Each structure stands twice: as structure tokens, then as C-alpha cells.
Amino acid sequence: MPRARHLSSARNDRVVVSDEVAAALADGRAVVALESTIISHGLPRPENLRIAREIEDAVRTAGAVPATVALVEGRVRIGLDDDALSAVAQRDDVVKVSVRDVAVVAARDGYGATTVASTAHLAALVGIDVFATGGLGGVHRGAQHTFDESADLVTLARTPITVVCAGVKSILDVPATLERLETLGVGLVGFGTTSFPGFYLTDSGQPVEHRVDTAEEVAAVMDARADLATDRGALVVANPLPVDEQLDPALHDRVLAEALAGAEAEGVHGKDTTPYLLARFHHDTEGASLTVNTRIILRNAELAGRIAVAHAQRRAG
Ligand code: PSU
Ligand code: MN
């Protein structure tokens, strides 16, 4: 398998780009990076493996090549075969890996599922410029006491990539997260909206200044960012669910209150917080949030595919 393009030392074999992804990158064709924490820690088994495959299919349907990122036996893999995807979905020893954890798990020959932060970092490293996820990490509620702010934010501040998401997870402090994105200089556009999406909910109640309506418009913004050297950090494309697909807001608010209280009572903290809250949602909504979460990711993967295609076309033409 070919080595990562932007790595030059003998240690390159730590990052293995699949043949399909490497060929697409070499030809300037559209590629979309996908994270794996959502598979290992964000979605329940056994549905997670089926959904992981559907996410890849959604990227393909849009005309792009999916590049799911994970650590397998200590190697960073960009583009997973079915064995690797199954391992990430099914093994019990898959560690949730943010940027700071990647090297540790690599050195130990371990298995790791990459978060938004580490996926963005590794995708950019090999020259992938579009990435799809469900919802970004951000500032947790009560962060003024816990200092719990996802490493997704600071990583996006220094990573040149376009991330399609349904806003930030609604379990977070959304206004505070938006303030941090502004401070960090992370670009933000609303796809077909001037309301920042609320992940499970169509509208978080917060505004977005810049609305775009087509994949081509996003690609044009990406090019302008490169020309103006404002692309050293990320561009977030916030893609809301249609109202008729969102989680019932009353159910959402009730379950969220219970889940937050549960996390507090059980002393859940640090990197376990997000998986705990998402699992509580999937359990307490009797699967309704799983259906919504799946729709979010599939829609984002499809849009990311279209953006990657539009961007590849601009560069070719
Ligand atoms: N989006 C989802 N489900 C998830 C996540 C995002 O729909 O499970 C994951 C992402 O990998 C994100 C992580 O980076 O949750 C954030 O975790 P933390 O708050 O610990 O940084
Ligand atoms: Mn955290």
C-alpha cells in the first residue's frame, strides 16, 4: 500500500493510505474523510457496522471516495477494508483517540477510533480536504467549572480541512461553542440556512452569518480561503436536518436533562462524557435518536461527497 504523501521519513509506514484512496488523491479526484469514534463509541452495536458501511455508500453515491480513518494494530489507516471496519465496530479494545493519543496507541500497536480532531489532523496530513461527521465536539455545559472543551475546537483552529456536520452536539453548550469557534478563527457557513443546526434538532436557536445553498458555493469559498491564506484552520459547513426528520424537541429536552443529571450522579467525566450522553439518548429515546443520528451522518456524508466533487472539478477546470 502506498505511503502518505506528505510524510517523508522512514516512519511513514505508520500511516497507510488504501490503494483506492491513494489513487483518487493522486488523480485529483474527490475524497471524503470519515471519522471512526462515531462507529466505535457513538453508535450502539450491532447497528454501528451496518451504519458505517452506509456512510461510506453515501459518499460513493455522491461520486466521491470514502476514507474512513482508524488505527489498526498501531497503523493509521486512511481508507478501511471490510476487516478493518469490522474490527473498529466490534472489538472491545478500540480506544477513543484524539490528537494527543494517536502516537501512544500507534507505539503500542493498538486499535484506535479517531475523533473529529484526530481524523481532521490525519486527513489533512495526507491531503484530503473534505471530512464528514455527525456533530462536532465543543464546549460542554458547566465548562466554566470543569474546563471540558473538546479538542475538536483547537484542532480545527489549526487544521486545513472542510468539515460537514449538523452543528455541534446538542448535549453541549452551543452558544459558548460558537463563541469559541469565532475566537479560534474557524470558518462557518450554514448550508441552506442562517440558523445554526442543533444536531438532533434542526435549529439550535443560534444564528449563522453566512448562508450557502450549493456544493459549488462551498467549493468557491474553499478556493477563496486558499487564495487568501485563511485556510490554515477549518471551514465548518453546518448542514441541518429537515424539520420533519428531527428528534421531537420535547423528547430531546427531557432526555437531555435526564442524561446530564445521570452523568453528574455517576461521576462521568473527560472523554467518557460524550459517549455516555449519546448512549443515554439512544437508550432513553428507545432508538429514536439513533434513527436521527444515522440520518444526520448519512446526509452529511452525501453533502461532503458533493462538495468534494465540486472542489475537484474547480481544481481540474
Ligand atoms: N458526532 C456524532 N457522534 C460521535 C461524535 C461526533 O454524531 O460519537 C464523536 C466525534 O468523534 C467527536 C467526539 O470528535 O464525539 C467528541 O468527543 P469529546 O467531546 O470527548 O471531544
Ligand atoms: Mn472532553
Side-chain angles (χ1 to χ4, degrees):
M1 276 183 263
R3 290 173 169 185
R5 284 200 299 163
H6 295 267
L7 300 173
S8 54
S9 78
R11 300 204 172 94
N12 283 6
D13 60 359
R14 292 201 193 273
V15 180
V16 180
V17 183
S18 75
D19 290 340
E20 184 191 20
V21 171
L25 288 172
D27 296 351
R29 284 183 283 123
V31 176
V32 173
L34 299 166
E35 59 146 315
S36 46
T37 293
I38 203 166
I39 304 170
S40 64
H41 290 73
L43 298 168
R45 297 180 201 169
E47 294 91 340
N48 61 345
L49 179 57
R50 174 181 54 79
I51 297 167
R53 292 189 180 120
E54 287 175 11
I55 299 168
E56 295 200 343
D57 288 344
V59 171
R60 288 189 197 283
T61 301
V65 173
T68 306
V69 177
L71 278 99
V72 177
E73 293 174 350
R75 296 217 168 154
V76 172
R77 300 267 297 263
I78 314 273
L80 303 184
D81 56 26
D82 206 58
D83 283 350
L85 201 64
S86 302
V88 171
Q90 293 169 337
R91 290 178 68 106
D92 291 323
D93 58 351
V94 179
V95 180
K96 176 178 167 185
V97 172
S98 193
V99 175
R100 67 176 189 160
D101 312 305
V102 177
V104 181
V105 176
R108 290 183 180 160
D109 299 332
Y111 282 78
T114 51
T115 63
V116 168
S118 53
T119 308
H121 170 80
L122 295 166
L125 185 68
V126 300
I128 298 174
D129 41 32
V130 182
F131 168 26
T133 184
L136 300 181
V139 180
H140 282 262
R141 293 163 196 247
Q144 64 270 38
H145 303 298
T146 63
F147 279 71
D148 188 355
E149 172 182 317
S150 176
D152 291 356
L153 297 184
V154 288
T155 304
L156 293 179
R158 57 168 191 250
T159 307
I161 199 150
T162 294
V163 186
V164 181
C165 61
V168 302
K169 284 182 281 287
S170 51
I171 57 178
L172 301 168
D173 183 334
V174 177
T177 303
L178 283 168
E179 292 292 352
R180 289 290 290 148
L181 287 170
E182 182 184 3
T183 303
L184 293 166
V186 175
L188 176 62
V189 294
F191 196 83
T193 186
T194 53
S195 303
F196 192 64
F199 190 59
Y200 293 130
L201 304 177
T202 302
D203 183 352
S204 69
Q206 301 296 313
V208 180
E209 184 174 356
H210 306 294
R211 170 177 172 154
V212 293
D213 288 288
T214 63
E216 288 72 21
E217 271 181 82
V218 177
V221 173
M222 289 167 67
D223 273 357
R225 283 162 44 85
D227 292 343
L228 300 168
T230 59
D231 62 341
R232 287 171 198 162
L235 173 67
V236 171
V237 178
N239 183 33
L241 272 179
V243 176
D244 62 357
E245 293 194 43
Q246 73 175 351
L247 196 61
D248 170 22
L251 177 65
H252 174 273
D253 293 353
R254 177 172 65 74
V255 170
L256 178 59
E258 289 167 7
L260 291 169
E264 169 105 43
E266 293 174 42
V268 178
H269 66 274
K271 68 195 280 188
D272 297 332
T273 304
T274 296
Y276 173 90
L277 292 174
L278 293 177
R280 281 289 302 255
F281 257 94
H282 296 328
H283 177 267
D284 294 1
T285 65
E286 289 161 13
S289 75
L290 178 59
T291 304
V292 175
N293 202 346
T294 304
R295 283 295 299 151
I296 289 169
I297 313 163
L298 293 177
R299 286 172 43 87
N300 293 346
E302 194 269 339
L303 176 58
R306 287 194 284 129
I307 291 169
V309 168
H311 191 237
Q313 279 169 353
R314 275 184 80 92
R315 279 180 308 185

